[in-house]
Amino acid sequence: AEILVFLIGAMTIVETVDFFNGFASIKRLIKTKNKIKILWIICFLAFILSAIIDNLTATIVLITILQKLVSDKNLKLWYAGMIIVAANAGGAWSPIGDITTTMLWIGEKVSIVALVKYLIIPSLVCMIIPTYVASKYNVFKGEISPPKNNEMENPYGFKILIIGLSSIVFVPIFKIFTGLPPYFGMMLSLAVVATIAEFFNYSLIKNPKIQASNHSPVHHALTKIEMPSILFFLGILMAVGALEALGIVFGVGQWLVSTFENVDWILFEGLDIVVFVLGFLSAAIDNVPLVAASMGMFGEAIDNPLWHGIAYAAGTGGSMVIIGSAAGVVAMGMEKIDFMWYIKKIAFLAFIGYLAGFITFILLRDYVL
């Protein structure tokens, strides 16, 4: 229930920002027409935004911007594919960047400081390597021809964007200082954003020069949030909770521990192989049940490297197949990306990023941190 309330709060804040067309302000950051520079800018934006507003929402925002920026259909598909890879990498190192890391954080398997310390560099590697390789492809040579845009700018767009992003970033800080569950902070942030949004919208309605909506921004936002996804997570968490209550999940975990604890293969040892394979499983099936199950399988203490490995593998492994992550599914719907096209063009880039990031994680864990 804590996870669901947290997600509903975060989604409502993001939709409130979108009500004022706040994300259009991000488009100003992209002033170049060079395809390679746009690729790097978009991938870094996806990496940073997904850590703040989660990878699903960051993907929606950036593909919306992409549609106003690029007219060539094939090029848009390539950019969208790279946004998926970068957004999933960015969500893995933040407690609010991906549903799986949020679950591990709320379930007190990882702390904010340790999660960032262990995963920010591997996640950055997971994003940079595929982006660098893709930048050598012929499709990113030359300059774009942007479509004409007659979109009106909302006077409060940039202000509500800063307020909304700051309020979401405030949530982990609130937990550190108060010790209260994260959803308390998210509800407080939502209350502040909702109040400010109502004042902004009232000012717009009173201005005769601006065509403003008479709808309440928060009421509008609540109608736009992805409730089917919330119910999907509810079903998964209840099903895994039932298996956990029966002891089945923990039994599977004990079998995995006993089977792989003495395995030693090059850099991989013990449960590293299990965690590495988890990334491929999250590409084949949803990463939420995998992480929910792993939380019941293993009894390691908070901030054990196993949990950080699971957060990385589940968060970034889904990029290898377009239906392996929420970001991929939403991009597939928005840009009509063909499943086999993604396998042929993007899967290899996602794989080398995942592999490079995982090796970086192992090396940092064993020799640096």
Side-chain angles (χ1 to χ4, degrees):
E2 289 184 23
I3 293 168
L4 299 187
V5 172
F6 181 93
L7 287 173
I8 290 170
M11 288 178 175
T12 308
I13 290 173
V14 169
E15 290 297 342
T16 303
V17 172
D18 193 52
F19 178 86
F20 292 92
N21 202 21
F23 293 112
S25 306
I26 297 172
K27 189 184 169 187
R28 294 184 208 152
L29 298 172
I30 308 173
K31 296 177 180 178
T32 181
K33 291 183 180 180
N34 184 282
K35 292 178 183 177
I36 294 176
K37 288 181 180 177
I38 290 172
L39 173 67
W40 282 103
I41 291 169
I42 280 180
C43 286
F44 269 104
L45 278 173
F47 186 82
I48 294 164
L49 274 178
S50 63
I52 302 172
I53 58 173
D54 83 60
N55 49 12
L56 172 64
T57 310
T59 302
I60 294 170
V61 169
L62 287 170
I63 288 182
T64 303
I65 292 169
L66 191 66
Q67 289 169 343
K68 298 169 186 175
L69 195 70
V70 180
S71 54
D72 182 81
K73 174 65 178 175
N74 183 53
L75 184 61
K76 268 197 288 188
L77 292 178
W78 277 96
Y79 279 129
M82 293 309 298
I83 285 170
I84 295 167
V85 174
N88 285 336
W93 63 272
S94 166
I96 52 177
D98 185 277
I99 176 64
T100 52
T101 50
T102 302
M103 287 165 61
L104 290 166
W105 178 45
I106 291 177
E108 296 187 343
K109 302 298 183 184
V110 297
S111 66
I112 299 165
V113 175
L115 183 71
V116 174
K117 183 176 83 170
Y118 275 96
L119 292 189
I120 188 167
I121 295 175
S123 298
L124 199 55
V125 170
C126 182
M127 183 275 290
I128 288 174
I129 297 293
T131 308
Y132 174 76
V133 174
S135 69
K136 303 298 179 184
Y137 289 5
N138 288 331
V139 70
F140 293 112
K141 296 288 190 291
E143 295 189 344
I144 62 165
S145 301
K148 291 181 181 178
N149 183 24
N150 300 317
E151 190 177 47
M152 292 290 291
E153 196 170 302
N154 192 300
Y156 293 110
F158 184 69
K159 290 180 183 177
I160 200 72
L161 173 67
I162 299 300
I163 292 166
L165 295 183
S166 301
S167 69
I168 295 174
V169 173
F170 165 76
V171 175
I173 299 169
F174 178 84
K175 185 184 187 302
I176 291 169
F177 282 100
T178 65
L180 291 168
Y183 75 92
F184 271 80
M186 187 58 78
M187 289 295 104
L188 176 60
S189 293
L190 175 59
V192 172
V193 172
T195 305
I196 294 170
E198 293 292 348
F199 278 114
F200 282 172
N201 196 52
Y202 180 74
S203 299
L204 291 175
I205 292 170
K206 298 290 284 183
N207 190 336
K209 296 180 181 179
I210 299 172
Q211 288 186 342
S213 171
N214 288 316
H215 294 294
S216 161
V218 181
H219 289 178
H220 175 80
L222 285 167
T223 65
K224 299 281 284 182
I225 62 175
E226 198 66 30
M227 280 309 292
S229 296
I230 297 291
L231 294 173
F232 172 72
F233 295 141
L234 172 64
I236 284 173
L237 295 171
M238 289 183 73
V240 174
L243 292 172
E244 192 176 339
L246 292 169
I248 295 170
V249 173
F250 186 72
V252 173
Q254 292 297 99
W255 176 79
L256 287 170
V257 171
S258 62
T259 304
F260 291 98
E261 63 183 347
N262 296 318
V263 174
D264 191 0
W265 182 65
I266 312 176
L267 289 173
F268 299 88
E269 57 183 37
L271 291 173
D272 291 343
I273 296 171
V274 176
V275 174
F276 185 70
V277 171
L278 192 71
F280 291 91
L281 290 175
S282 70
I285 58 176
D286 197 83
N287 55 6
V288 174
L290 287 174
V291 172
S294 69
M295 289 170 70
M297 284 180 192
F298 306 112
E300 275 72 6
I302 186 172
D303 283 331
N304 186 288
L306 173 71
W307 299 120
H308 301 126
I310 289 172
Y312 172 82
T316 61
S319 301
M320 289 182 275
V321 178
I322 195 166
I323 58 170
S325 66
V329 172
V330 75
M332 189 182 192
M334 290 180 76
E335 279 299 319
K336 305 295 184 289
I337 302 172
D338 183 71
F339 180 86
M340 290 310 299
W341 180 92
Y342 189 91
I343 292 289
K344 292 174 183 175
K345 307 292 186 181
I346 306 294
F348 172 72
L349 295 169
F351 169 71
I352 59 174
Y354 173 69
L355 181 61
F358 196 82
I359 291 171
T360 304
F361 168 73
I362 297 288
L363 292 173
L364 287 173
R365 183 197 67 186
D366 292 347
Y367 301 106
V368 180
L369 299 174

